[in-house]
Amino acid sequence: MKKDYNLYYSSRIISGIGDALQDIAVITIIALFTDSAAISGLVVALNALVRIICSLFAISNTYMKDCKRVLTYLNYFYALMTGLFYIFLIFDTPLLVLKISVVSYETICSLIYTFYKIYQDMIVKEVSDNNEKIARLYAADNVIKVSTSLVSAILLMVMSYKGFLVINAISFLISGVIVSKLKIDMSTNKTQRRKSGHFKVINNIKGFYEKYLPVFKIVILSAILSFFFASYAVLLQKAIKIFEIDIKYIGVLNGIYYVVSILLSYGAGYIDVKNIKKVSLPVLGTGVLCSALCLSNDKWIIVAFILRI
C-alpha cells in the first residue's frame, strides 16, 4: 500500500501542476481574445450545467469495477483534449472559432473533471491506510495551486501562456501512466454499480432528504454559496479588462485568491452548524448587494472581488 500511495501522490502532484497552469492559460485567453465577461459567464454556466447532469448520472452509477483503468483513461482524455485545444491556438484561428473552442474545451474539461473527481476519491481511499495520508494529499493540492499560480509570473517571462497548456497535457499523460502502475484490487468493493441499470435519481434524492434533512439543508446552502464562488471567474475577467492588468499577474491574483480561500475555509470549520443561518444569511445578502452594485457601476468591481474571496 505504501508504494501505491507514493505513486498516486506523485501522479496527483504532477496533474495538479498542469491543472493550475491550465487555469491561468484559459483566464488569459479569455481576457485577451474574447468578450471576457460574457464568455467567462457562459463558461461558468455551462460548467455548472454539465456537472449537475453528470452528477445525476453518478448518483445512479457511482462505481465501476475497474476504477484504476477508468481514471487512467480520464487522464489520457484530458491530455488529448488539451492537446487539441493547443492546436487551435497555435494556428491563425478566426475569433468566432476561438470563442467556440474556449467554451467547448472548458465544458468538456468540466465533464471529465466531474467523473475524474469521483474515481480519484475512490482510489484515495484504497491507497491510504489512515486519515493523515488523505489529509496530506489534499494539503498538497492546496500547496500546488498556490505555489504554481504565484510562480507563473516568472514562467511567463520565459514562455508563452500557450506553453502552459502543453505542460498540462504532458502532466496528465504522465499522471495516467503512473495511475496505470497502481496494484490496487477493487474487484471486491461493495459499492459496485448495480446491474439493473435503473436510473433512480429522484428516489435517491428523496431518500437522502428524508434521512439526512439537516445535511440536505447545508448542501443546498453550499450550492447557493458556490454560485458566488463561481462568479469569481467573471469578476476576475472584468477586473482584468477594467484595470488593464498585465497578464503575467493573473497567476499572482489566482494565488492570492487561493491563499485567502484556504485560510478562510479553516475558519469556516469552527462555525457551529446550529448557527449556520446567522453566518450564511449576511454572506448571501452581501453577495446579492455587490452583484447589483457591479451592474450599476464598474467601480464596485474591486469591492465585490474582495468580498467574493
Side-chain angles (χ1 to χ4, degrees):
M1 181 171 284
K2 183 178 180 180
K3 183 179 180 181
D4 279 340
Y5 179 82
N6 291 336
L7 280 172
Y8 180 74
Y9 189 85
S10 60
S11 74
R12 191 154 173 151
I13 288 177
I14 292 170
S15 63
I17 292 172
D19 214 17
L21 292 177
Q22 175 205 323
D23 287 344
I24 297 166
V26 171
I27 292 172
T28 303
I29 293 165
I30 292 175
L32 288 178
F33 301 111
T34 68
D35 300 326
S36 55
I39 295 298
S40 183
L42 181 60
V43 166
V44 169
L46 288 176
N47 282 355
L49 181 62
V50 166
R51 291 186 182 184
I52 289 170
I53 294 173
C54 291
S55 296
L56 290 176
F57 278 100
I59 290 173
S60 182
N61 301 304
T62 55
Y63 190 70
M64 289 186 68
K65 184 176 180 180
D66 199 342
C67 185
K68 181 185 74 173
R69 181 180 297 177
V70 173
L71 189 61
T72 300
Y73 289 158
L74 286 173
N75 274 291
Y76 292 157
F77 189 31
Y78 213 136
L80 175 63
M81 295 310 304
T82 303
L84 292 174
F85 182 53
Y86 173 75
I87 292 173
F88 270 100
L89 294 179
I90 60 175
F91 291 110
D92 188 14
T93 308
L95 183 57
L96 178 60
V97 177
L98 179 62
K99 290 179 180 180
I100 294 173
S101 64
V102 170
V103 174
S104 300
Y105 171 68
E106 280 293 280
T107 304
I108 293 172
C109 284
S110 182
L111 185 153
I112 297 171
Y113 179 81
T114 302
F115 290 100
Y116 188 90
K117 190 67 178 173
I118 293 171
Y119 295 115
Q120 192 179 53
D121 288 343
M122 288 180 179
I123 286 186
V124 166
K125 296 174 184 178
E126 295 297 320
V127 301
S128 306
D129 52 8
N130 57 60
N131 289 334
E132 182 183 347
K133 287 186 175 181
I134 296 176
R136 196 183 307 162
L137 284 170
Y138 289 108
D141 287 347
N142 291 331
V143 171
I144 291 300
K145 284 182 179 179
V146 173
S147 58
T148 304
S149 297
L150 292 177
V151 302
S152 65
I154 299 173
L155 291 175
L156 285 171
M157 294 179 182
V158 296
M159 71 167 61
S160 165
Y161 61 87
K162 296 175 185 176
F164 287 4
L165 293 172
V166 176
I167 295 175
N168 185 41
I170 294 173
S171 71
F172 275 94
L173 190 62
I174 295 174
S175 179
V177 172
I178 295 175
V179 170
S180 68
K181 302 294 184 183
L182 297 176
K183 301 298 183 182
I184 57 174
D185 180 14
M186 305 177 77
S187 59
T188 59
N189 198 301
K190 295 180 180 180
T191 57
Q192 291 181 21
R193 183 174 59 183
R194 296 189 187 97
K195 293 182 179 179
S196 62
H198 294 147
F199 195 63
K200 301 179 180 179
V201 174
I202 302 300
N203 289 338
N204 282 330
I205 294 176
K206 184 179 178 181
F208 181 82
Y209 173 82
E210 293 174 348
K211 192 173 182 180
Y212 304 104
L213 181 59
V215 179
F216 186 83
K217 291 179 179 179
I218 293 175
V219 170
I220 296 300
L221 174 63
S222 299
I224 296 171
L225 288 172
S226 70
F227 164 76
F228 296 107
F229 176 80
S231 65
Y232 158 75
V234 182
L235 282 170
L236 178 57
Q237 291 294 344
K238 290 201 72 174
I240 292 170
K241 187 174 182 179
I242 293 168
F243 299 102
E244 298 180 349
I245 298 173
D246 192 318
I247 60 170
K248 70 181 180 182
Y249 296 121
I250 291 176
V252 176
L253 289 175
N254 255 19
I256 294 172
Y257 175 77
Y258 288 136
V259 169
V260 177
S261 297
I262 291 166
L263 292 176
L264 291 182
S265 67
Y266 282 107
Y270 291 97
I271 298 174
D272 190 343
V273 174
K274 295 179 181 178
N275 297 322
I276 195 72
K277 289 183 179 179
K278 295 179 181 179
V279 177
S280 60
L281 291 179
V283 171
L284 293 174
T286 304
V288 172
L289 176 62
C290 285
S291 297
L293 290 172
C294 286
L295 292 174
S296 63
N297 193 324
D298 285 338
K299 291 181 179 179
W300 283 97
I301 193 73
I302 193 68
V303 177
F305 186 77
I306 294 171
L307 288 175
R308 283 295 188 276
I309 295 177

